[in-house]
């Protein structure tokens, strides 16, 4: 019976994820053009060797890791801060909890279009505000600047994704036993000590799982980056998925694009392995 219940999900994963992934792996060993996909030639590891020797691809990896790390750290940090605020009792808390989810519910296309207007140097709110405070960076369009394009993309991304982290962590905070908090307060613990000794051990598994999902989603995020900068200017926001799209559908090199995709799969698997090793070690420590 257990195998019968698991069978539908297993078949779904094999057909709609396992088989396409296997096809992508095989495609990465070929020299295939989008204009004639049936005429691909086997080249073995040549695509991977070309990527390894390409300094531009090294920059793509660095940009992807930088973008992912900044998104995950900022989203979890802001999400935890807002969750702690929303967990405290105050008038209008229900309305505040509903309002904080608006950025996450907004379509990425609409978010990108709004922030393109916000970052515009001539009539955008962002540049006008910076100029009002005498900041020279307000004189230029951030999305066209090699120095400011990545911060602009990060601000937009974090603004949209941190509400999800806030909701998840707020749910985790709801699971912290109030008796433990009250006991710690009665023992003379301050708020920081209560958080370290009571709250954090309870919500830590949720934070770890949230970090895993946020990392994988950041590695594969395409829509916001493409709509804001298309990987530019001069590759300053060119991540793995943007590079994959450009190689496949602009330069028509399907084999190289598949190799880039497999590199992304390897990074995602490495992150997942680190997560499972971390959770296994935490469970062992908890059992002791």
């Amino acid at each position: 019976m257990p195998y019968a219940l698991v069978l539908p999900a297993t078949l779904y994963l094999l057909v709609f994820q396992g088989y396409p992934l296997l096809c992508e792996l095989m495609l990465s060993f070929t020299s295939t053009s989008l204009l004639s996909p049936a005429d691909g030639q086997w080249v073995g590891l040549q695509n991977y060797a070309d990527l390894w020797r390409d300094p531009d691809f090294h920059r793509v990896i660095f940009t992807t890791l930088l973008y992912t790390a900044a998104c995950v750290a900022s989203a979890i940090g802001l999400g935890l801060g807002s969750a702690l605020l929303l967990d405290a009792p105050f008038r209008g808390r229900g309305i505040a909890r509903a309002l904080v989810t608006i950025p996450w519910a907004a379509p990425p296309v609409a978010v990108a279009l709004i922030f393109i207007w916000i970052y515009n140097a001539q009539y955008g709110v962002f540049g006008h505000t910076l100029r009002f405070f005498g900041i020279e960076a307000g004189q230029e369009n951030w999305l066209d600047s090699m120095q400011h394009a990545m911060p602009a993309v990060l601000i937009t991304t974090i603004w949209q994704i941190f509400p999800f982290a806030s909701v998840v962590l707020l749910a985790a905070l709801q699971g912290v036993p109030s008796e433990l908090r009250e006991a710690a307060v009665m023992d003379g613990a301050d708020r920081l000590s209560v958080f370290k000794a009571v709250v954090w051990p309870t919500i830590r598994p949720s934070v770890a799982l949230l970090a895993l999902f946020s990392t994988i989603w950041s590695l594969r995020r395409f829509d916001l980056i493409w709509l804001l900068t298309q990987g530019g200017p001069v590759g300053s926001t060119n991540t793995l998925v943007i590079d994959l799209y450009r190689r496949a559908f602009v330069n028509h090199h399907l084999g190289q694009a598949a190799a880039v995709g497999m590199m992304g799969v390897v990074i995602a698997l490495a992150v997942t392995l680190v997560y499972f090793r971390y959770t296994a070690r935490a469970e062992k420590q908890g059992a002791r």
Side-chain angles (χ1 to χ4, degrees), residues 4-23:
L5 294 175
V6 173
L7 182 61
T10 304
L11 292 177
Y12 174 86
L13 292 175
L14 289 176
V15 173
F16 294 103
Q17 295 191 17
Y19 178 72
L21 186 62
L22 179 61
C23 291

Side-chain angles (χ1 to χ4, degrees), residues 91-139:
R91 181 174 297 179
R93 184 174 62 175
I95 298 176
R97 288 179 175 179
L99 292 177
V100 78
T101 62
I102 291 178
W104 174 257
V109 175
V111 171
L113 293 176
I114 291 173
F115 273 88
I116 288 174
W117 171 79
I118 290 175
Y119 290 132
N120 188 278
Q122 295 181 356
Y123 50 81
V125 176
F126 189 74
H128 179 76
T129 303
L130 293 181
R131 291 193 298 270
F132 177 80
F133 288 102
I135 301 176
E136 295 182 0
Q139 303 292 335

Side-chain angles (χ1 to χ4, degrees), residues 74-234:
S74 301
I76 292 180
L78 291 175
L80 180 58
S82 59
L84 291 172
L85 292 176
L86 295 173
D87 188 49
F90 60 90
R91 181 174 297 179
R93 184 174 62 175
I95 298 176
R97 288 179 175 179
L99 292 177
V100 78
T101 62
I102 291 178
W104 174 257
V109 175
V111 171
L113 293 176
I114 291 173
F115 273 88
I116 288 174
W117 171 79
I118 290 175
Y119 290 132
N120 188 278
Q122 295 181 356
Y123 50 81
V125 176
F126 189 74
H128 179 76
T129 303
L130 293 181
R131 291 193 298 270
F132 177 80
F133 288 102
I135 301 176
E136 295 182 0
Q139 303 292 335
E140 59 181 330
N141 189 340
W142 276 36
L143 296 177
D144 294 333
S145 169
M146 289 186 60
Q147 181 181 3
H148 299 124
M150 178 57 76
V153 172
L154 285 173
I155 291 173
T156 307
T157 305
I158 294 167
W159 178 84
Q160 187 180 33
I161 68 175
F162 94 88
F164 177 78
S166 178
V167 171
V168 171
L169 296 178
L170 178 60
L173 289 173
Q174 301 296 310
V176 179
S178 58
E179 296 83 3
L180 295 180
R181 296 189 186 187
E182 295 172 357
V185 172
M186 292 179 63
D187 290 339
D190 56 12
R191 291 185 177 181
L192 183 59
S193 299
V194 172
F195 179 81
K196 290 182 178 180
V198 178
V199 177
W200 178 250
T202 304
I203 69 172
R204 184 170 55 186
S206 299
V207 174
L209 185 60
L210 179 62
L212 172 64
F213 287 148
S214 298
T215 300
I216 295 175
W217 292 337
S218 297
L219 287 172
R220 57 182 291 186
R221 185 167 292 110
F222 172 80
D223 41 18
L224 271 182
I225 304 175
W226 181 260
L227 291 170
L228 289 171
T229 64
Q230 296 187 6
V234 199

